[in-house]
Amino acid sequence: MWKKIIGFASVVALSFSLAACGSDKASSNKSTVGDSVDHKIIGIDPGAGIMEATDKAIKDYKLDDWQLVSGSSAAMTATLKKAYDKKEPIIITGWNPHWMFAKYDLKYLKDPKGVYGSAEEIHTIARKGLKKDLPEAYKILSNFKWSEDDMGKVMLDIQQGTKPADAAANWVKDNPEKVAKWTDGTKKVNGKKIKLVYVAWDSEIASTNVIGKVLEDQGFDVTLTQVEAGPMWTAVADGSADASLSAWLPLTHKNYSEKYNGKFEDIGTSMTGVKIGLVVPKYMKIDSIEDLKK
Ligand code: PBE
């Protein structure tokens, strides 16, 4: 009992000090935006292309005293939620499509130097020889195309607590015409094994689970394996995985695609007009990456 009281007291003390720190940050008495966020940009997994682009942004915009914090997609969105709920300043590495833009009022910081590229696309990459070994799967994977709206539905469903496989099955059930286009002209198979690799980015969790479900319905024995970005490219290049839906090009994964040039096949674009960059809540007064220098 005594211990409990002490524990409780220290929790109270801790939350008082956190609250004090929070209100300090929210007010405008911090002189620069850098000070208001401790010169930190909240990033995701270290292998993500957006992390490399952000390292470059820090160099190119001469943000010398800034630090890119690595973690994961899930940790980043949790940190965003915490700040957003208290209207505190925060700068994150963000991308579209992502459910966070539906849930929060956010904006991209302008990137006058073009560090984050412009017209990014999501590509499907396959191991060499997939066409010969699994022609039906190859065809479905190359036909796979959907919109930001389509992916948004699956992402929101998952975000609201539905298991990724169930969210994918819901979407497949609701969109038979789109699925029919992807499977058009292919025959069902009988338990052929196929392995897809993906990274735990919300956008790729959605696409990989949807195609996984479609392939399963076509008779494939599907394995979805979650890995980091580097190992994902390596697995497709060395043939230990059959394909991945997580290749963002031309800029985001430029280094990976150059490293494995000639060792994989780019077999289709599932979405165009996607985007990466630095993202902040709309309640922040800054508009451009240049503003981080002030
Ligand atoms: N992303 C989502 C990935 C690609 C997909 C933008 C976080 C990246 O930066 O590599």
Side-chain angles (χ1 to χ4, degrees):
M1 185 61 202
W2 187 227
K3 256 195 191 152
K4 258 193 197 157
I5 290 170
I6 293 174
F8 179 66
S10 54
V11 167
V12 170
L14 180 65
S15 52
F16 267 121
S17 60
L18 284 177
C21 166
S23 61
D24 187 27
K25 274 188 190 172
S27 70
S28 54
N29 63 3
K30 294 262 184 170
S31 43
T32 66
V33 60
D35 290 339
S36 77
V37 296
D38 296 330
H39 293 90
K40 280 182 183 147
I41 296 168
I42 308 303
I44 56 171
D45 43 297
I50 201 172
M51 296 296 277
E52 205 179 326
T54 303
D55 282 335
K56 184 162 190 293
I58 288 174
K59 263 194 222 116
D60 290 4
Y61 287 93
K62 304 202 164 53
L63 304 174
D64 305 330
D65 44 356
W66 283 76
Q67 189 195 340
L68 173 61
V69 181
S70 62
S72 67
S73 230
M76 179 274 283
T77 51
T79 310
L80 172 63
K81 181 187 183 334
K82 249 194 233 156
Y84 195 91
D85 287 348
K86 292 193 222 149
K87 282 233 160 357
E88 283 177 3
I90 181 167
I91 303 173
I92 59 166
T93 57
W95 65 97
N96 273 91
H98 198 291
W99 56 263
M100 64 184 160
F101 292 94
K103 194 154 177 195
Y104 309 116
D105 275 331
L106 304 171
K107 62 184 175 187
Y108 279 94
L109 293 181
K110 291 202 182 78
D111 172 24
K113 294 189 197 289
V115 173
Y116 291 97
S118 49
E120 287 292 283
E121 302 173 336
I122 309 180
H123 289 236
T124 304
I125 54 170
R127 69 167 168 86
K128 293 266 181 174
L130 185 71
K131 187 175 191 175
K132 184 167 66 55
D133 300 340
L134 296 173
E136 312 292 334
Y138 182 94
K139 190 146 187 218
I140 294 168
L141 289 166
S142 4
N143 287 345
F144 175 50
K145 258 181 207 7
W146 63 344
S147 68
E148 182 156 357
D149 260 11
D150 292 325
M151 187 194 265
K153 282 186 193 124
V154 182
M155 278 194 289
L156 263 188
D157 202 0
I158 297 171
Q159 208 271 322
Q160 282 159 1
T162 308
K163 282 201 191 110
D166 296 339
N170 292 341
W171 190 91
V172 165
K173 186 159 75 33
D174 293 344
N175 293 275
E177 335 73 43
K178 282 178 187 158
V179 173
K181 273 196 194 151
W182 306 337
T183 57
D184 189 35
T186 64
K187 283 193 238 97
K188 288 204 175 183
V189 301
N190 202 350
K192 285 198 175 150
K193 284 192 177 5
I194 182 162
K195 179 173 164 184
L196 305 180
V197 272
Y198 70 105
V199 185
W201 299 315
D202 307 69
S203 35
E204 279 54 39
I205 292 171
S207 55
T208 310
N209 275 276
V210 164
I211 278 296
K213 171 68 177 152
V214 170
L215 289 169
E216 205 176 276
D217 290 349
Q218 291 298 109
F220 285 92
D221 175 359
V222 183
T223 306
L224 308 183
T225 305
Q226 190 196 302
V227 290
E228 296 290 322
M232 168 190 95
W233 276 89
T234 312
V236 174
D238 72 13
S240 57
D242 293 302
S244 173
L245 307 170
S246 319
W248 281 47
L249 295 164
L251 183 129
T252 315
H253 293 166
K254 183 170 188 272
N255 279 354
Y256 291 125
S257 76
E258 282 174 359
K259 180 171 173 195
Y260 295 113
N261 186 25
K263 299 200 166 114
F264 68 94
E265 244 191 88
D266 187 341
I267 66 170
T269 306
S270 62
M271 202 181 288
T272 55
V274 301
K275 187 173 166 64
I276 62 170
L278 292 184
V279 171
V280 301
K282 278 196 184 149
Y283 56 72
M284 285 181 73
K285 289 199 180 78
I286 52 170
D287 286 309
S288 165
I289 302 176
E290 300 275 10
D291 297 338
L292 302 183
K293 272 189 292 196
K294 291 175 191 162

